[in-house]
């Protein structure tokens, strides 16, 4: 009955709708979502269901991950978008997925050979002069002068060599070759590239969703699942984003369904001192949703029969559950749900596989 009511609200509403499904763990929220999806597609085959796993994406960039998966999902359905908008959204998806490169260039000019020769002349001339003065006179006259002017002679020979290499033997060309052109041709570039993915801003996310809503020609139902498994800090962050992007904005084709556990949400918004009187969880829930449906816990009309059937499926007919097993399980468990019964039987299976048939 709940699935039928939610389906009719989704299809009959002329504007966006925030629907909450309130229920504890194991109460059947996931099954209800599947029933709603089946009924919506039976009445509107073009409708698109998109489920976003909040717990599975808790370490991702939330807005980027949501837009990436949602856009990929919508593009898969030819009937979802207006024909003139399809190529545009494929290009926007490629831009979203593309990794950006940041390049920084550092230019390190080399020291020209002419400057090196000049520096050597400046350093070696006084050194050679001292060496020439210290030579014994027995080496002959003029050695001290020859050694002193040797660096200068080397520099003049280098300048003559550069002048000789020029096709146009002019002083201007020689200076350009020696000072300017040579320095420019010896610049060295070092490039660093950093590849990164960018998180869309809140305004970009909101604009993206508005443009997508205008391009749609069918219902898009967004389901944000597994919020109950997030830690308290993540619940507050995710809830704030959902409220900002969907509760405060109105769309023509987009509907939102959020299954949640009220106790977990209240715990996440409880005051730092743990005082329940300062908890605003219920206020956040009432302010976010247009309508909230409560999923009651399963009625335990025949849990013993369910345990017996699952036990036989796990162990076979030769090891049927005795009456004492049902009594022990009844005494050891406070609440009984199909998920807990299956977990109990699986524990028994692993115990039997790792132990002998007879346990002392």
């Amino acid at each position: 009955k709940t699935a039928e009511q939610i389906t009719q609200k989704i299809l009959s509403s002329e504007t966006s709708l925030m629907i909450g499904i309130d229920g504890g763990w194991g109460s059947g929220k996931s099954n209800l979502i599947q029933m709603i999806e089946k009924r919506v597609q039976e009445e509107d085959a073009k409708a698109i269901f998109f489920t976003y796993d909040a717990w599975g994406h808790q370490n991702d960039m939330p807005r980027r991950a949501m837009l990436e998966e949602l856009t990929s999902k919508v593009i898969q359905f030819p009937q979802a978008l207006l024909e003139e908008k399809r190529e545009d959204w494929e290009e926007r998806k490629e831009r979203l997925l593309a990794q950006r490169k940041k390049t920084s260039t550092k230019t390190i000019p080399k020291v020209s050979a002419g400057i090196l020769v000049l520096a050597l002349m400046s350093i070696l001339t006084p050194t050679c002069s001292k060496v020439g003065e210290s030579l014994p006179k027995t080496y002959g006259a003029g050695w001290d002068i020859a050694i002193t002017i040797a660096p200068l002679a080397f520099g003049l020979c280098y300048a003559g060599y550069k002048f000789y290499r020029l096709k146009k033997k002019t002083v201007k060309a020689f200076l350009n070759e020696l000072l300017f052109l040579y320095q420019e041709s010896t610049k060295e570039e070092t490039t660093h590239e950093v590849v990164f993915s960018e998180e869309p801003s809140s305004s970009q996310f909101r604009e993206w969703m508005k443009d997508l809503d205008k391009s749609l020609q069918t219902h898009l139902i967004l389901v944000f699942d597994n919020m109950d498994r997030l830690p308290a800090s993540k619940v507050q962050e995710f809830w704030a984003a959902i409220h900002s992007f969907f509760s405060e904005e109105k769309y023509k084709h987009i509907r939102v369904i959020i299954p949640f556990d009220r106790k977990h949400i209240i715990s996440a918004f409880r005051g730092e001192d743990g005082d329940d009187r300062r908890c605003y969880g219920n206020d956040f829930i009432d302010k976010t949703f247009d309508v909230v449906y409560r999923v009651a816990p399963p009625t335990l009309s025949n849990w013993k029969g369910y345990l017996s059937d699952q036990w036989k499926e796990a162990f076979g007919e030769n090891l049927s559950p005795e009456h004492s097993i049902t009594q022990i399980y009844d005494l050891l468990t406070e609440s009984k749900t199909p998920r807990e019964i299956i977990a109990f039987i699986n524990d028994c299976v692993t115990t039997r596989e790792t132990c002998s048939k007879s346990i002392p």
Side-chain angles (χ1 to χ4, degrees):
K1 185 66 175 179
T2 305
E4 292 176 0
Q5 289 295 320
I6 295 177
T7 301
Q8 294 304 318
K9 283 192 178 297
I10 290 174
L11 298 178
S12 61
S13 177
E14 297 181 357
T15 182
S16 57
L17 196 64
M18 289 287 294
I19 300 175
I21 298 178
D22 180 9
W25 277 38
S27 61
K29 296 190 297 294
S30 298
N31 289 334
L32 178 59
I33 294 295
Q34 294 177 5
M35 295 168 66
I36 295 171
E37 180 177 2
K38 181 179 178 181
R39 282 166 170 74
V40 168
Q41 292 181 344
E42 287 177 353
E43 299 195 27
D44 185 1
K46 295 182 179 181
I48 301 175
F49 251 80
F50 171 74
T51 301
Y52 182 81
D53 188 351
W55 182 57
H57 291 85
Q58 61 177 317
N59 294 323
D60 298 334
M61 292 182 286
R63 293 189 292 271
R64 177 185 170 89
M66 194 182 303
L67 293 182
E68 177 183 333
E69 293 194 9
L70 174 59
T71 307
S72 300
K73 178 80 171 181
V74 172
I75 292 177
Q76 292 177 1
F77 294 87
Q79 74 279 7
L81 295 170
L82 298 172
E83 189 62 31
E84 62 271 15
K85 296 289 186 179
R86 178 167 302 281
E87 294 184 1
D88 178 43
W89 280 104
E90 290 178 352
E91 292 178 0
R92 293 183 67 166
K93 175 193 170 186
E94 294 299 326
R95 291 197 301 268
L96 178 67
L97 296 178
Q99 291 182 322
R100 304 173 185 269
K101 289 185 178 181
K102 183 179 181 180
T103 304
S104 60
T105 303
K106 185 179 181 181
T107 303
I108 306 174
K110 288 184 177 179
V111 179
S112 66
I115 296 177
L116 290 175
V117 170
L118 182 61
L120 288 174
M121 289 171 56
S122 302
I123 296 173
L124 294 178
T125 297
T127 303
C128 292
S129 177
K130 292 292 184 181
V131 173
E133 292 176 358
S134 63
L135 288 176
K137 299 298 183 181
T138 55
Y139 284 95
W143 274 104
D144 53 344
I145 299 176
I147 293 176
T148 302
I149 65 174
L152 178 61
F154 174 75
L156 292 175
C157 291
Y158 175 77
Y161 169 73
K162 298 296 292 184
F163 185 76
Y164 175 77
R165 286 184 56 187
L166 293 176
K167 294 181 180 180
K168 296 181 180 180
K169 299 179 180 181
T170 62
V171 176
K172 184 178 180 181
F174 170 71
L175 293 176
N176 286 335
E177 172 73 16
L178 188 64
L179 299 177
F180 299 100
L181 296 180
Y182 186 76
Q183 288 183 354
E184 290 183 359
S185 64
T186 57
K187 288 184 178 179
E188 188 177 281
E189 293 187 356
T190 303
T191 301
H192 302 279
E193 289 188 353
V194 180
V195 179
F196 65 97
S197 299
E198 189 178 23
E199 169 80 332
S201 64
S202 298
S203 59
Q204 289 173 333
F205 184 93
R206 191 175 288 106
E207 181 181 358
W208 187 291
M209 294 303 301
K210 288 182 177 179
D211 292 343
L212 181 62
D213 182 58
K214 293 177 182 178
S215 303
L216 288 171
Q217 53 182 359
T218 185
H219 290 96
L220 174 61
I221 298 94
L222 307 181
V223 180
F224 296 101
D225 201 7
N226 287 333
M227 189 182 298
D228 302 340
R229 301 184 182 183
L230 293 174
S233 59
K234 294 287 186 179
V235 170
Q236 295 180 16
E237 179 182 350
F238 191 78
W239 197 281
I242 295 299
H243 179 81
S244 175
F245 297 140
F246 297 102
S247 293
E248 297 181 354
E249 298 290 337
K250 294 300 180 182
Y251 304 97
K252 182 179 180 181
H253 299 96
I254 297 177
R255 314 287 184 263
V256 179
I257 301 176
I258 302 180
F260 65 93
D261 183 356
R262 186 177 293 269
K263 291 182 179 179
H264 185 69
I265 301 301
I266 291 175
S267 176
F269 286 98
R270 181 175 290 122
E272 296 182 358
D273 54 0
D275 188 0
D276 289 342
R277 291 174 299 178
R278 297 180 57 188
C279 175
Y280 302 102
N282 286 320
D283 295 333
F284 280 109
I285 293 173
D286 296 338
K287 189 176 181 180
T288 299
F289 296 109
D290 299 311
V291 60
V292 176
Y293 289 89
R294 181 174 178 270
V295 180
T299 303
L300 302 178
S301 59
N302 188 24
W303 67 267
K304 295 180 181 180
Y306 181 76
L307 188 150
S308 178
D309 293 339
Q310 299 299 318
W311 184 281
K312 291 178 182 178
E313 182 178 349
F315 291 100
E317 295 290 341
N318 296 329
L319 191 62
S320 59
E322 299 178 358
H323 185 65
S324 57
I325 295 177
T326 306
Q327 287 183 326
I328 292 172
Y329 180 76
D330 191 12
L331 290 173
L332 294 180
T333 55
E334 296 181 359
S335 62
K336 300 170 183 62
T337 64
R339 182 182 298 173
E340 292 173 344
I341 291 175
I342 291 175
F344 166 73
I345 295 176
N346 287 340
D347 287 340
C348 295
V349 171
T350 55
T351 302
R352 185 170 186 266
E353 290 177 345
T354 54
C355 301
S356 60
K357 293 184 179 180
S358 176
I359 301 177

